[in-house]
Amino acid sequence: MKKQNIQNSDYLQRELNFLSTVTADDTFQVIVGNDDSDTLLLWQDEYYMEAYLNDCETPIRLSKVDTLFFLKWMKENPQGVNYFIHPVFGQEAPKLNRKELAAKIIDKLESDGDFYDTLRENDLL
């Protein structure tokens, strides 16, 4: 039931849930959807991804990647890609650029404290 509440919540609540989940020790992964546009779709959980895919008629390629690997990929690929965090089909969501998204994820990792050395070692700070 909690997942349904998050899925039906406003964007800020979904963003907070996304950031908490992709930076958690037990998860630490991002699901990336690519529909051949210049915007990648990001989810923290298969439940939310499947809900979107059930309503969407566009073919989407999916990848599940480690959060740190995803941050490194964003840094090394500065092309004009944008991102939607936890999109819900039929609802507006802010389109984030690489720097905005990386800053949100890194801020969350830094606030947890345990990842500071890892971020520094990977030249992400």
Side-chain angles (χ1 to χ4, degrees):
M1 187 62 157
K2 181 182 177 195
K3 288 188 177 203
Q4 287 176 336
N5 290 339
I6 292 169
Q7 185 70 2
N8 296 325
S9 66
D10 65 13
Y11 173 77
L12 290 179
Q13 182 62 42
R14 292 193 319 268
E15 180 182 286
L16 287 172
N17 183 263
F18 172 86
L19 293 171
S20 294
T21 304
V22 302
T23 60
D25 283 333
D26 59 340
T27 314
F28 211 68
Q29 67 183 12
V30 179
I31 299 171
V32 181
N34 183 344
D35 62 1
D36 289 329
S37 71
D38 66 348
T39 303
L40 296 178
L41 312 168
L42 307 177
W43 294 279
Q44 68 274 26
D45 185 290
E46 286 88 356
Y47 174 86
Y48 305 118
M49 174 203 68
E50 287 176 7
Y52 186 90
L53 295 177
N54 287 336
D55 292 328
C56 177
E57 296 181 8
T58 305
I60 298 175
R61 287 186 312 278
L62 300 166
S63 302
K64 190 182 291 188
V65 297
D66 175 272
T67 301
L68 190 61
F69 178 81
F70 181 67
L71 285 169
K72 289 169 73 171
W73 177 85
M74 282 194 316
K75 182 177 181 177
E76 294 168 1
N77 294 285
Q79 70 268 22
V81 175
N82 293 298
Y83 305 88
F84 284 132
I85 292 177
H86 189 143
V88 172
F89 193 78
Q91 292 185 24
E92 291 291 320
K95 190 181 286 191
L96 303 173
N97 64 39
R98 176 181 59 91
K99 288 183 181 182
E100 292 168 326
L101 178 60
K104 286 178 182 283
I105 295 172
I106 289 170
D107 285 349
K108 180 64 177 153
L109 287 169
E110 282 185 314
S111 71
D112 290 347
D114 296 338
F115 293 102
Y116 183 81
D117 289 339
T118 303
L119 291 170
R120 196 178 77 246
E121 288 168 7
N122 285 281
D123 195 28
L124 293 167
L125 292 177

